[in-house]
Structures are given as C-alpha cells and as structure tokens.
C-alpha cells in the first residue's frame, strides 16, 4: 500500500476518492450526484491550502483524506483541518487511516502548522478510537450556519 498526495493532474483519483467517500459515509447525493468539472477539480487540487491524499492498493484507491490548511492571524502559523477521512471496508483496521494521518503530520511539520484537528460524529466509535490514540480530545459543539438568502 502506498500513500500519495494528489496534484493538478490527478482528477481521476479525486473522483475515485469522492466515490469512496460516498460509499463509506453512505452519502452518494453529497459526494457524487453533481460532480464538478475537471477544470474545477484541477483548480482545487493545485491550491496550496488544499491537501488531498489517497492510499492505494495497486491502482485502487482504498483510503484517503481531504484537509485544509488555514492560515491564522493571531500568530504567523497555520492549522490543518481534516474535513474527510475514509477507508474502504476491505482495508479497515489495517493501518491505512493511521498512515494517512502520519503523512499529514509530516506535511504539517514541513509547513510549520501548529496543530491538526478533526471532528468525529457521536457513535462513530472507530473514528473516536483512532483520534483518541493520536491526539487530545476536545468536546466542542459544531453549528452549520446557512448563507444569507435573497
């Protein structure tokens, strides 16, 4: 198994990762029902603040994560937020998620980020166990606020 960071030319791998997210999160409407254009994906894949990695078994994408580097204003540093992380059923509990996060930790060190953070849903015990093993738990509340309407 190999871990690789995606770049501008990796549109097919990004689409495969979105399909994996759709399956793992049981949410095809969100991840694959309205796919963006190749040009849009290329723009996102080349953005320096977007960090997209996949785990491969041969040519197959079996895991991946999408993270965002967030520059801060109170100090000259950044944080990295893991937005999505998933592993195919066939490869769970084999170290794939830990390998992805370990690679992200290296990227964070190289970029001078001071922390990586991630949210876990209540009831997602495998995710909570993984993140507890790797970091310090903070109990916070999350709110979705809709944009202004016309």
């Amino acid at each position: 198994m190999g871990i690789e960071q995606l770049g501008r030319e990796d549109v097919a791998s990004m689409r495969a990762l979105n399909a994996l997210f759709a399956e793992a999160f049981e949410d095809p409407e969100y991840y694959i029902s309205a796919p963006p254009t190749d040009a849009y994906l290329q723009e996102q894949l080349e953005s320096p603040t977007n960090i997209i990695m996949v785990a491969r078994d041969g040519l197959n994408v079996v895991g991946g994560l999408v993270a965002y580097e967030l520059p801060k204003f109170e100090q000259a540093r950044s944080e990295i937020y893991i937005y999505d992380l998933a592993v195919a059923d066939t490869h769970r509990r084999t170290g794939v998620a830990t390998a992805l996060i370990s690679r992200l930790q290296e990227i964070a060190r190289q970029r001078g980020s001071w922390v990586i953070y991630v949210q876990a849903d209540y009831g997602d015990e495998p995710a909570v166990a993984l993140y507890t093993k790797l970091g310090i738990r903070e109990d916070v509340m999350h709110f979705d606020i809709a944009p202004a309407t016309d």
Side-chain angles (χ1 to χ4, degrees):
M1 183 198 61
I3 305 292
E4 65 185 71
Q5 186 173 350
L6 300 185
R8 179 176 175 78
E9 301 308 316
D10 296 313
V11 170
S13 294
M14 186 67 236
R15 292 193 189 286
L17 181 57
N18 277 339
L20 175 66
F21 288 153
E23 184 177 329
F25 303 141
E26 299 177 353
D27 195 355
E29 182 178 343
Y30 185 78
Y31 288 94
I32 57 175
S33 69
T37 65
D38 286 0
Y40 178 86
L41 287 178
Q42 287 175 324
E43 183 179 323
Q44 299 310 308
L45 287 165
E46 77 178 348
S47 170
T49 57
N50 298 341
I51 304 166
I52 301 95
M53 292 189 292
V54 296
R56 291 188 190 279
D57 185 357
L59 296 176
N60 298 321
V61 172
V62 297
L65 67 75
V66 172
Y68 302 98
E69 183 179 14
L70 305 169
K72 302 301 291 179
F73 293 96
E74 70 277 2
Q75 293 185 33
R77 63 183 184 183
S78 65
E79 301 173 345
I80 294 180
Y81 173 53
I82 299 173
Y83 183 77
D84 280 328
L85 187 152
V87 177
D89 286 339
T90 56
H91 288 73
R92 290 190 182 150
R93 303 212 187 276
T94 63
V96 173
T98 301
L100 287 161
I101 292 172
S102 293
R103 178 67 186 107
L104 185 61
Q105 288 174 302
E106 288 299 316
I107 292 169
R109 181 185 54 75
Q110 292 165 2
R111 293 182 179 204
S113 298
W114 78 281
V115 70
I116 298 169
Y117 65 100
V118 63
Q119 294 176 196
D121 292 330
Y122 288 102
D124 188 350
E125 296 310 319
V128 171
L130 172 66
Y131 303 145
T132 299
K133 176 179 81 170
L134 297 173
I136 299 167
R137 180 178 173 159
E138 293 187 28
D139 288 320
V140 298
M141 299 175 84
H142 171 101
F143 300 88
D144 290 336
I145 300 171
T149 58
D150 295 332

